[in-house]
Amino acid sequence: MAKLKSRIAVEPFAHFDLPTHHLSISTLSLSQSTLYVGTRNASLSRNVSLLRTVSVSGSPVESIFVLSEIGAVLVLSDGFLFITDSLLIHPVKKLGGLKGVSVIARRFRGTHSQSTDLTDNTSNSSKGQRILDKFGRVRTNGVKSKDLEQNREGNYVFALVIGKKLMLIELVLSSDLANASFVILREMQCFDGVKSMVWLDDSIIVGTINGYSLFSCVTGQSGVIFSLPDLSRPPLLKLLWRNWEVLLLVDNVGVIVDALGQPVGGSLVFRKGGPDSIGDLSSYVVVVRDGKMDLYHKKSGNCIQTLTFGVEGVGQCIVADEENRSGEFAAVATPTKVICYRKVPSEEQIKDLLRKKNFNEAISLVEELECEGELSKEVLSLFHAQVGFLLLFDLHFKEAVDHFLRSETMQPSEVFPFIMRDPNRWSLLVPRNRYWGLHPPPVPLEDVVDDGLLAIQRAIFLRKAGVETVVDERFLSNPPTRAELLESAIKNIIRYLEVSRQKDLTLAVKEGVDTLLMYLYRALNYVDDMEKLASSENYCIVEELETLLDGSGHLRALAFLYASKGMSSKALAIWRILARNYSSGLWKDLAVENGMHDGACVTSGRETAATEASNILEDSSDQDLVLQHLAWIADLNPALAVRILTSEKRTNQLSPDEVIAAIDPKKVEILQCYLQWLIEEQDSDDTRLHTLYALSLAKSAIESFNSESSSQSPDTGRQEHLKTPDIQRESLIQSPVRDRLQIFLQSSDLYDPEEVLDLIQDSELWLEKAILYRKLGQESLVLQILALKLEDSEAAEQYCAEIGRPDAYMQLLDMYLDPQDGKEPMFKAAVRLLHNRGESLDPLQVLETLSPDMPLQLASETILRMLRARLHHHRQGQIVRYLSRAVHIDARLARLEERSRLVQINDESLCDSCHARLGTKLFAMYPDDTVVCYKCFRRQGESTSVTGRDFKQDVLFKPGWLVTR
């Protein structure tokens, strides 16, 4: 026997006892609100209040068929068929021609079946036509009828067994039941001892003591479905209306098959001994025996409810159901009484299970109803929310939130009272909906946990006293601690709010979700989650969180929150405090967990504070705010300070004068980077900025030069001391300062070279001085520096080439030969100059300039080559001169020839432009030999021919004695 369940799927709503003069009930039929009872003394009763009784025959009533469409009742008794009206007013009429009927079954068609129509479209078809119908549905005129035509109203087809014959008949009924008759549609050979029969679509399933067989009402062929074992219970068939399936009883097992006899789904295992009768009630199979009624779920096969309606040994019991797919009622009868049951509404079943805290069974029931399409989305969402609240108060927080997330109608504001006590900012947002009223009003999680623990303690006490209580066995065997439960509750509420953030909520609800989520993060000290929420786009209410975060020391999260809300001043103030007091333990850093030593942790924390502050200042156009926090960020990380000053994210750039004044004079690199950004990136043409940048670079270059000169000392400690700023400078400015100074001095024309020159005048920055003197136009000083101080002959010669005058080379030669200041003559440099540039020098001046002390072997070859080059240039000049004269003469001769050409004009000559006869008119001839009249010549001009050729742009060459094209 299946395990008894506490679920209430059906409940009795009416019952009555049979009068004493009735022997016992033999059959039962339920139609709409009317119940027909057939007794063993062959009487037929109507309605539970016994409205009327009619006598049928002297034998028991075996089957009752209610034809509600026409208000008639068909009864099988003593092998005959009787018919009467549904109100049992008129006398019972016996249908003649049928005798010895043992079993009868009415034909039913499934909702979407395509079964064959065994009857004609008209009830007046001839007998010959019906005989032909048996052999293929051919009409008398030779035209086949439709095989898939639906049964017309008024046609009632039954299958009945008489001996070994299976006959298919059609009742022909009219308004006068006294004229009822029948027509035999088909006869088929059957078996002996048929006990039960069901006709569905084109299949007739019959049950005998040997097993179940299937007959086709179209072809007449039969086949075995199941063979029953010896000594098994009598066969029993039941049509299941909901899915148009048939249940076959095999001993105490119910096998469900389709219209073709193929098993579908699983089997139903009944109580030992098997049932007396089977009924169909919605998604359940009703089984009665020995005064008990069991309800089995068709799909799961589980026995969900058992009811007792009589004592054991009461006799054979009968169950009847409504012949429709949505049957809600069933009637159960014993030989002495009848009890009517109705299906409890699904919602009431669910509520009853929830009241008993049978959550798993309630969930299973809902899943079944959902699969069968009996629950709307609104009811399903309401159920998940209701179960969630019940589980929450039952301390099953994870399962509760799982159900909250499955509810589409539940609002996140409904969990607000579990987090913050009323009244609060969001109290009015909480819907006052208690669903089915099965859970108490929401209270803070601390109270939920305390009440739950108190209930567990009370249950333990009652269990010890022998009183059964409804409580989770896990809690009884291993009572949880308050801290564990509270942590679990907060974690799962966090999970729900995190998912709720992704939904489309109103602004007020979004503010509540984010603010209370921060509360819960703080309760569990989820620092990372707090900072992640605060730094992202959020709807937190700052006023609700300021005191909480500040008092608990979560300043980083508070700073992120201020920044996300545009309260930059407050955020920066916190980052400044953290940067200054990091070592005092105001906040933690991940470096501590990674095993870094204390000094590294402090440095990492301060760098983080400076970085976060710089992120805010990069976007800020508030100049006072930027300059207020620039100094401490520059102390920690100069690169971040430069990033702040040179940020292009802000809408309005900072005032250069204010920024320069605010930069610490010791932070030279920051100033230089800022000035470089203004000049190179912002294309500033302010001469003051260019000069300031040049002076700053020059000062740094002097210091760098002096530092390098003095670093030759073997003092290792001093070298280590000087190493740190170098590293820092490399990280901030990649190129050496002298390179940057030289490039800037050469590229910019907006700085004051005299001011810069005054600064470096006493230094050893000779190349920089040369650049400045060049800007000032002091060529002699530039050559002195390049040739004598730097001894860069190539640069000196290049500068002379830029000057472009021969005297510059002579001046450079004089410097090489007479360096002054007691310095030896630079003969090699002088010879190199003569070798490279001697051709452009005057030999006489060179000879006059050469020093008597210069070795002859150094200068002789160079001077000789210079003289030869001068002679070569002279002769080349003569050749060019004579060729020019020849060309000039040739051109004059060609011009003369052109002017001396003769043109013969007669009366037939035409103008090449207007084609008029020239005759005695004035005319003109172009170099390409075209002739035009004087009028056309004036119109076109002397440079453009009638062919369109412009002789000024496209010169015409004619061969001469020297010049050719």
Side-chain angles (χ1 to χ4, degrees):
M1 178 178 174
K3 184 180 179 181
L4 183 64
K5 302 293 182 181
S6 59
R7 176 172 160 191
I8 300 177
V10 296
E11 61 183 1
F13 72 95
H15 76 279
F16 72 97
D17 297 326
L18 292 178
T20 56
H21 65 274
H22 287 95
L23 299 179
S24 62
I25 295 177
S26 60
T27 185
L28 198 65
S29 179
L30 179 63
S31 175
Q32 298 179 354
S33 60
T34 305
L35 180 66
Y36 294 88
V37 180
T39 63
R40 295 194 178 277
N41 63 349
S43 64
L44 185 66
S45 301
R46 176 178 178 268
N47 230 328
V48 295
S49 58
L50 197 57
L51 296 178
R52 193 168 287 105
T53 300
V54 64
S55 177
V56 178
S57 69
S59 300
V61 175
E62 299 175 20
S63 298
I64 303 174
F65 298 94
V66 181
L67 309 179
S68 58
E69 296 87 346
I70 59 171
V73 179
L74 183 68
V75 179
L76 173 63
S77 178
D78 195 23
F80 295 96
L81 292 179
F82 301 87
I83 190 167
T84 184
D85 64 288
S86 60
L87 298 178
L88 306 185
I89 298 175
H90 300 289
V92 175
K93 180 184 183 306
K94 180 192 292 185
L95 293 179
L98 295 175
K99 182 179 179 181
V101 178
S102 58
V103 179
I104 183 172
R106 184 181 178 183
R107 185 185 190 185
F108 292 97
R109 297 190 184 188
T111 305
H112 303 289
S113 71
Q114 296 181 346
S115 55
T116 306
D117 188 3
L118 299 178
T119 64
D120 265 338
N121 291 334
T122 63
S123 62
N124 299 320
S125 59
S126 65
K127 183 177 181 181
Q129 179 64 52
R130 294 193 182 96
I131 295 174
L132 292 176
D133 288 346
K134 300 179 181 179
F135 300 94
R137 303 291 296 145
V138 180
R139 295 181 183 273
T140 55
N141 58 5
V143 181
K144 290 187 177 181
S145 63
K146 295 181 180 179
D147 292 334
L148 304 177
E149 186 172 347
Q150 292 295 327
N151 194 9
R152 291 168 53 87
E153 182 178 356
N155 293 334
Y156 299 95
V157 182
F158 292 84
L160 48 89
V161 177
I162 301 177
K164 293 185 178 182
K165 289 185 179 180
L166 176 61
M167 302 177 63
L168 309 182
I169 68 169
E170 175 191 1
L171 288 180
V172 181
L173 304 174
S174 62
S175 58
D176 186 5
L177 297 179
N179 297 324
S181 62
F182 68 92
V183 177
I184 299 175
L185 302 177
R186 181 183 291 275
E187 290 184 7
M188 293 178 287
Q189 191 67 28
C190 190
F191 312 112
D192 192 12
V194 176
K195 301 297 184 182
S196 180
M197 183 167 57
V198 169
W199 187 359
L200 177 61
D201 295 337
D202 290 342
S203 301
I204 303 174
I205 303 176
V206 298
T208 66
I209 57 175
N210 296 320
Y212 297 96
S213 300
L214 183 142
F215 287 82
S216 172
C217 66
V218 179
T219 64
Q221 297 178 350
S222 64
V224 177
I225 301 177
F226 286 111
S227 294
L228 294 177
D230 296 336
L231 303 177
S232 64
R233 288 186 59 82
L236 183 60
L237 292 168
K238 175 59 185 174
L239 177 62
L240 305 180
W241 315 99
R242 190 177 185 84
N243 295 319
W244 297 109
E245 298 167 344
V246 181
L247 185 142
L248 287 65
L249 181 64
V250 181
D251 204 4
N252 68 326
V253 177
V255 180
I256 300 177
V257 299
D258 59 13
L260 299 178
Q262 299 297 324
V264 292
S267 301
L268 305 179
V269 180
F270 304 131
R271 287 188 296 146
K272 186 176 181 180
D276 291 340
S277 179
I278 299 176
D280 184 23
L281 182 63
S282 185
S283 57
Y284 312 115
V285 172
V286 181
V287 175
V288 295
R289 185 173 183 268
D290 290 338
K292 291 185 179 180
M293 182 177 75
D294 296 331
L295 262 68
Y296 291 86
H297 195 274
K298 294 177 183 177
K299 290 187 177 181
S300 65
N302 296 327
C303 179
I304 62 171
Q305 186 180 5
T306 297
L307 298 96
T308 301
F309 56 86
V311 296
E312 188 174 354
V314 71
Q316 185 177 12
C317 303
I318 304 171
V319 61
D321 53 59
E322 296 179 291
E323 295 181 354
N324 58 67
R325 298 187 66 196
S326 58
E328 299 290 328
F329 299 94
V332 177
T334 67
T336 59
K337 63 180 179 179
V338 177
I339 304 174
C340 297
Y341 294 91
R342 63 184 172 190
K343 179 186 173 184
V344 177
S346 302
E347 289 189 14
E348 295 301 324
Q349 294 185 46
I350 298 170
K351 291 178 184 178
D352 182 67
L353 292 173
L354 294 180
R355 290 189 189 98
K356 298 175 181 177
K357 294 189 177 182
N358 293 332
F359 299 120
N360 293 333
E361 292 185 24
I363 294 170
S364 299
L365 175 59
V366 169
E367 290 176 350
E368 293 172 3
L369 296 173
E370 183 181 4
C371 293
E372 295 168 2
E374 295 189 9
L375 281 185
S376 63
K377 288 186 176 181
E378 291 76 14
V379 175
L380 189 62
S381 295
L382 184 144
F383 166 76
H384 285 299
Q386 178 66 88
V387 174
F389 283 115
L390 289 173
L391 289 170
L392 187 70
F393 283 98
D394 212 36
L395 306 184
H396 296 284
F397 303 109
K398 181 181 182 301
E399 294 81 358
V401 171
D402 290 340
H403 283 280
F404 286 160
L405 295 176
R406 295 178 63 182
S407 175
E408 297 181 1
T409 58
M410 180 176 172
Q411 296 297 319
S413 57
E414 296 183 47
V415 302
F416 290 177
F418 292 100
I419 306 171
M420 182 176 287
R421 294 185 182 275
D422 287 332
N424 56 61
R425 183 188 292 264
W426 300 281
S427 295
L428 297 179
L429 296 179
V430 182
R432 303 304 177 185
N433 182 10
R434 296 190 58 190
Y435 299 96
W436 290 328
L438 303 180
H439 66 275
V443 292
L445 291 174
E446 294 87 346
D447 296 345
V448 173
V449 172
D450 291 339
D451 294 343
L453 289 174
L454 186 61
I456 293 173
Q457 294 174 359
R458 187 183 302 112
I460 294 174
F461 175 77
L462 293 176
R463 284 287 181 92
K464 292 180 178 180
V467 179
E468 288 294 329
T469 57
V470 181
V471 70
D472 195 324
E473 295 295 336
R474 292 176 299 173
F475 290 160
L476 293 177
S477 59
N478 186 20
T481 64
R482 184 179 188 275
E484 292 173 348
L485 289 174
L486 195 57
E487 182 180 0
S488 175
I490 296 175
K491 283 182 178 179
N492 285 283
I493 295 297
I494 286 175
R495 180 164 62 94
Y496 175 72
L497 293 180
E498 287 177 341
V499 176
S500 300
R501 294 191 75 219
Q502 312 303 322
K503 298 181 180 178
D504 185 15
L505 307 173
T506 63
L507 178 60
V509 176
K510 288 181 179 179
E511 292 175 348
V513 169
D514 286 0
T515 305
L516 297 180
L517 192 56
M518 188 71 78
Y519 266 95
L520 298 179
Y521 285 151
R522 165 62 190 88
L524 297 182
N525 200 32
Y526 284 0
V527 178
D528 292 341
D529 292 320
M530 293 171 62
E531 295 178 0
K532 182 179 179 181
L533 175 61
S535 59
S536 63
E537 181 181 357
N538 63 80
Y539 296 90
C540 294
I541 303 299
V542 178
E543 296 81 1
E544 294 284 339
L545 298 173
E546 277 182 312
T547 305
L548 174 73
L549 297 178
D550 191 8
S552 60
H554 293 88
L555 297 182
R556 277 171 56 100
L558 183 57
F560 284 128
L561 185 60
Y562 280 142
S564 67
K565 298 302 179 182
M567 306 169 70
S568 302
S569 179
K570 290 186 175 181
L572 291 168
I574 292 178
W575 289 122
R576 185 171 185 173
I577 294 173
L578 293 175
R580 289 182 176 181
N581 302 281
Y582 184 84
S583 59
S584 62
L586 282 179
W587 48 293
K588 296 182 179 180
D589 189 82
L590 295 177
V592 177
E593 301 177 2
N594 295 334
M596 297 178 63
H597 54 82
D598 294 341
C601 293
V602 172
T603 303
S604 173
R606 290 176 175 173
E607 289 282 344
T608 302
T611 301
E612 296 297 339
S614 67
N615 292 336
I616 299 174
L617 294 175
E618 285 181 39
D619 296 326
S620 176
S621 297
D622 188 344
Q623 180 170 290
D624 295 337
L625 187 65
V626 173
L627 299 182
Q628 176 185 355
H629 294 276
L630 180 66
W632 68 269
I633 296 177
D635 291 338
L636 296 177
N637 192 327
L640 293 177
V642 173
R643 218 170 72 189
I644 294 171
L645 297 177
T646 60
S647 173
E648 297 186 4
K649 298 179 183 179
R650 57 176 58 97
T651 306
N652 301 319
Q653 291 298 331
L654 308 177
S655 170
D657 293 337
E658 298 291 336
V659 172
I660 293 171
I663 296 176
D664 188 349
K666 297 179 181 179
K667 303 293 188 300
V668 177
E669 292 177 344
I670 297 177
L671 175 62
Q672 292 175 1
C673 290
Y674 178 64
L675 292 173
Q676 181 182 4
W677 176 76
L678 289 175
I679 295 170
E680 296 180 1
E681 302 295 333
Q682 301 298 306
D683 299 326
S684 175
D685 56 358
D686 191 338
T687 57
R688 296 181 299 107
L689 298 180
H690 282 252
T691 302
L692 180 60
Y693 183 48
L695 292 173
S696 178
L697 289 176
K699 185 177 180 181
S700 297
I702 293 173
E703 294 175 354
S704 177
F705 182 82
N706 295 335
S707 177
E708 291 175 359
S709 300
S710 60
S711 64
Q712 303 301 324
S713 172
D715 187 356
T716 305
R718 178 170 178 77
Q719 290 178 359
E720 293 296 329
H721 175 73
L722 295 173
K723 192 178 296 184
T724 302
D726 292 341
I727 295 175
Q728 188 178 22
R729 181 162 53 250
E730 289 177 2
S731 62
L732 187 60
I733 304 174
Q734 299 299 325
S735 58
V737 65
R738 289 198 65 182
D739 292 348
R740 290 185 286 119
L741 173 61
Q742 294 167 9
I743 292 173
F744 179 73
L745 293 179
Q746 290 178 347
S747 61
S748 176
D749 295 327
L750 298 178
Y751 62 89
D752 186 353
E754 293 184 355
E755 190 172 352
V756 179
L757 189 60
D758 290 342
L759 178 62
I760 66 173
Q761 190 65 51
D762 298 331
S763 68
E764 296 296 324
L765 305 180
W766 294 108
L767 182 56
E768 290 79 356
K769 293 178 184 179
I771 297 172
L772 294 172
Y773 281 131
R774 180 183 175 186
K775 292 284 185 181
L776 296 173
Q778 299 185 21
E779 300 172 356
S780 177
L781 293 176
V782 175
L783 286 176
Q784 286 182 7
I785 294 174
L786 295 177
L788 303 180
K789 291 294 184 180
L790 300 178
E791 297 184 358
D792 190 348
S793 301
E794 184 177 355
E797 292 178 16
Q798 180 65 30
Y799 181 63
C800 292
E802 293 176 4
I803 295 174
R805 301 192 308 273
D807 62 316
Y809 292 107
M810 292 303 301
Q811 186 178 5
L812 180 59
L813 182 60
D814 288 338
M815 292 180 183
Y816 285 149
L817 298 177
D818 187 13
Q820 299 180 359
D821 295 335
K823 192 173 182 180
E824 295 293 329
M826 303 170 65
F827 293 125
K828 290 184 178 181
V831 171
R832 183 180 183 279
L833 176 62
L834 293 174
H835 178 75
N836 294 335
R837 307 294 179 178
E839 299 176 359
S840 60
L841 300 177
D842 187 351
L844 293 178
Q845 292 183 359
V846 172
L847 292 174
E848 291 176 356
T849 304
L850 290 178
S851 172
D853 299 332
M854 183 177 182
L856 184 60
Q857 64 273 15
L858 293 176
S860 59
E861 184 178 352
T862 300
I863 294 173
L864 181 60
R865 186 167 61 252
M866 183 177 62
L867 292 175
R868 288 174 180 172
R870 294 290 295 182
L871 179 60
H872 176 68
H873 284 306
H874 174 67
R875 289 176 179 174
Q876 278 187 331
Q878 287 181 328
I879 293 172
V880 172
R881 190 178 114 198
Y882 290 136
L883 287 175
S884 297
R885 288 179 62 186
V887 171
H888 178 65
I889 293 172
D890 185 47
R892 289 177 63 187
L893 180 59
R895 183 178 181 185
L896 180 61
E897 289 178 355
E898 287 294 318
R899 287 183 174 276
S900 61
R901 280 198 301 164
L902 297 177
V903 179
Q904 185 177 357
I905 300 298
N906 53 32
D907 294 339
E908 300 299 327
S909 300
L910 300 178
C911 175
D912 290 336
S913 178
C914 64
H915 304 292
R917 294 183 181 275
L918 293 178
T920 59
K921 295 180 181 179
L922 292 176
F923 65 91
M925 187 177 68
Y926 287 96
D928 58 355
D929 298 334
T930 57
V931 179
V932 296
C933 65
Y934 189 72
K935 183 179 180 181
C936 293
F937 173 74
R938 291 289 302 273
R939 186 180 68 251
Q940 292 186 187
E942 61 181 7
S943 63
T944 304
S945 169
V946 69
T947 61
R949 183 170 184 173
D950 188 351
F951 298 105
K952 289 184 178 180
Q953 302 294 332
D954 188 9
V955 180
L956 181 66
F957 289 92
K958 291 188 175 181
W961 68 275
L962 179 62
V963 180
T964 62
R965 188 181 180 92

